[in-house]
Amino acid sequence: MSDRAAYFLRRILLIFPTFIGITFLTYLLTQFVPGGPVEQAMMQMRGFDGSGVATRSESISEEQREAIRAHFGFDKPFLIRYYDWLVVNKMGMTVDSYKYSNKTVWQLISERFPVSLTFGIAGFVLTYLICIPLGIAKALRNGSAFDLASSVAVFTGYAIPAFAFGMLLKTVFSGTSEHFFDIFPIGGFRSEFFEEMSFWEKVKDQFMHMFLPVMCYVIGNFAVLTLLMKNSLLEQISQDYVRTVVAKGGSMKRAVWKHALRNALIPIATGFGGVLSIMFAGSVLIERVFNIPGMGLLSLEAIVGRDYMVFMGTLALTSIVALLGRVLSDFCYVLIDPRISFNKG
């Protein structure tokens, strides 16, 4: 087996203990955080409403308390509960949600995941389609007026948090203020009567709902990727092998596009894992601002509502995507530069 194959095999095998470590510690924390399902069920039986005000006064016997604990599985030792969650209930996917009692965790996630996936893929593709060419252009025109003007735009975008940029876009383009425009929907994934629309009406409706949120996804990684691409290419241009190509009669254009660019893309591949986990798991704040029913908003609702099974389900999927993304980053290294060796010796 080659050193690369052995390296990737080790990385894939390490996914399993890492995943167990992440989920074990998080599951342990959820068992001791106050306000869990047992406490919420007892509060409802005592007549407390959502604001914490008692509408009636009822006491709970010890038998009722133990019955509630048994209903949520808290009568078992912690390790058995974790084993049940991981193996018996398939990472909790077959367990009913505490908040949505008529739906399992998997049903909730399968409803929300395609939404985050749609926004994630669109944002991911647009981010790289914009940032890589812009970074190359800035490197080739380093110190020019274009480089200065684009740097101002890049750093301005970097200084604005994605959720604040989203609120600004909604104010200007979604008719929330009578002094600005009313072009895009104020939020949501699709219109209410989307299924009754024609094909082109569906395309237009989806585009209008996605445009502003995707802009926020892109700006979140815009500055980092653009400057990383620019600085990486500048570093490669200053290397001896580029001067060697020029000294042997090759043009600077050939040295950059055929030799330097490929090496400059290596640092860009480093961010694949982190970007993928954000894109596919959804963004809590962006989905909150635009009221998008995606994975990020589901995670936030699960945390606020102490719906630990749903939270653990979203965490498990996010962890798997992030860990696979790290392996994908290393695989991209090899594709970009086949000379890379993972052998320490």
Side-chain angles (χ1 to χ4, degrees):
M1 183 181 295
S2 66
D3 64 320
R4 287 180 186 170
Y7 174 81
F8 282 113
L9 181 60
R10 288 197 303 272
R11 289 298 306 267
I12 292 173
L13 291 177
L14 278 174
I15 288 177
F16 298 100
T18 307
F19 174 78
I20 290 174
I22 293 171
T23 55
F24 182 85
L25 289 176
T26 309
Y27 194 85
L28 179 64
L29 289 175
T30 61
Q31 302 303 298
F32 298 102
V33 175
V38 175
E39 288 84 357
Q40 290 189 35
M42 289 194 295
M43 288 181 66
Q44 289 178 357
M45 292 180 66
R46 286 170 176 162
F48 284 86
D49 59 16
S51 62
V53 178
T55 56
R56 60 182 187 276
S57 177
E58 294 184 7
S59 60
I60 299 176
S61 65
E62 191 61 31
E63 290 77 11
Q64 289 176 316
R65 182 191 298 271
E66 290 304 318
I68 295 173
R69 287 175 54 82
H71 174 72
F72 290 105
F74 282 81
D75 57 330
K76 301 175 183 176
F78 169 75
L79 290 178
I80 293 179
R81 294 204 300 272
Y82 177 73
Y83 176 81
D84 288 344
W85 174 83
L86 182 65
V87 180
V88 179
N89 296 316
K90 302 178 177 60
M91 297 188 300
M93 296 299 170
T94 60
V95 179
D96 285 338
S97 161
Y98 297 156
K99 185 177 179 181
Y100 305 94
S101 57
N102 58 339
K103 290 186 176 180
T104 64
V105 173
W106 174 246
Q107 286 175 323
L108 285 170
I109 290 178
S110 59
E111 289 175 1
R112 305 292 187 97
F113 188 67
V115 177
S116 290
L117 193 65
T118 304
F119 282 97
I121 292 176
F124 178 80
V125 172
L126 273 180
T127 299
Y128 278 81
L129 283 180
I130 294 174
C131 294
I132 291 180
L134 181 59
I136 295 172
K138 284 173 64 64
L140 297 179
R141 297 170 175 80
N142 186 37
S144 65
F146 169 79
D147 182 37
L148 180 62
S150 58
S151 294
V152 172
V154 166
F155 283 111
T156 302
Y158 184 69
I160 303 176
F163 73 92
F165 186 59
M167 295 177 70
L168 178 65
L169 290 177
K170 280 181 66 173
T171 302
V172 176
F173 297 108
S174 296
T176 56
S177 172
E178 61 181 10
H179 302 293
F180 295 105
F181 308 99
D182 186 8
I183 302 174
F184 297 98
I186 195 168
F189 181 51
R190 289 169 178 168
S191 297
E192 183 179 358
F193 303 103
F194 181 81
E195 296 300 330
E196 301 172 9
M197 296 178 179
S198 65
F199 174 76
W200 291 112
E201 287 175 336
K202 287 182 178 178
V203 172
K204 180 183 177 183
D205 183 76
Q206 193 70 76
F207 174 81
M208 298 298 284
H209 279 84
M210 289 182 62
F211 186 81
L212 298 184
V214 169
M215 289 281 289
C216 295
Y217 275 99
V218 171
I219 201 172
N221 298 294
F222 182 69
V224 174
L225 283 176
T226 301
L227 294 180
L228 188 62
M229 185 70 232
K230 175 193 172 185
N231 294 332
S232 178
L233 185 56
L234 283 176
E235 182 183 356
Q236 293 300 321
I237 290 175
S238 64
Q239 297 295 315
D240 290 339
Y241 70 87
V242 173
R243 286 192 288 269
T244 302
V245 173
V246 176
K248 288 185 174 181
S251 64
M252 190 63 187
K253 186 177 180 181
R254 176 184 173 86
V256 170
W257 291 100
K258 191 167 183 179
H259 301 282
L261 180 60
R262 190 171 187 176
N263 294 329
L265 288 173
I266 294 176
I268 299 297
T270 309
F272 276 5
V275 172
L276 277 178
S277 60
I278 294 173
M279 295 297 183
F280 286 91
S283 170
V284 174
L285 295 177
I286 294 175
E287 291 183 0
R288 179 73 172 172
V289 168
F290 290 98
N291 196 26
I292 298 169
M295 292 282 289
L297 192 57
L298 179 65
S299 300
L300 178 64
E301 292 171 348
I303 294 172
V304 173
R306 301 291 197 274
D307 197 344
Y308 294 138
M309 289 297 104
V310 174
F311 172 69
M312 287 299 301
T314 57
L315 175 77
L317 282 184
T318 306
S319 301
I320 292 172
V321 171
L323 292 170
L324 289 176
R326 302 299 178 191
V327 179
L328 177 64
S329 296
D330 288 348
F331 186 68
C332 290
Y333 286 161
V334 176
L335 286 181
I336 294 171
D337 189 355
R339 298 170 301 173
I340 290 178
S341 172
F342 297 106
N343 191 348
K344 291 181 180 179

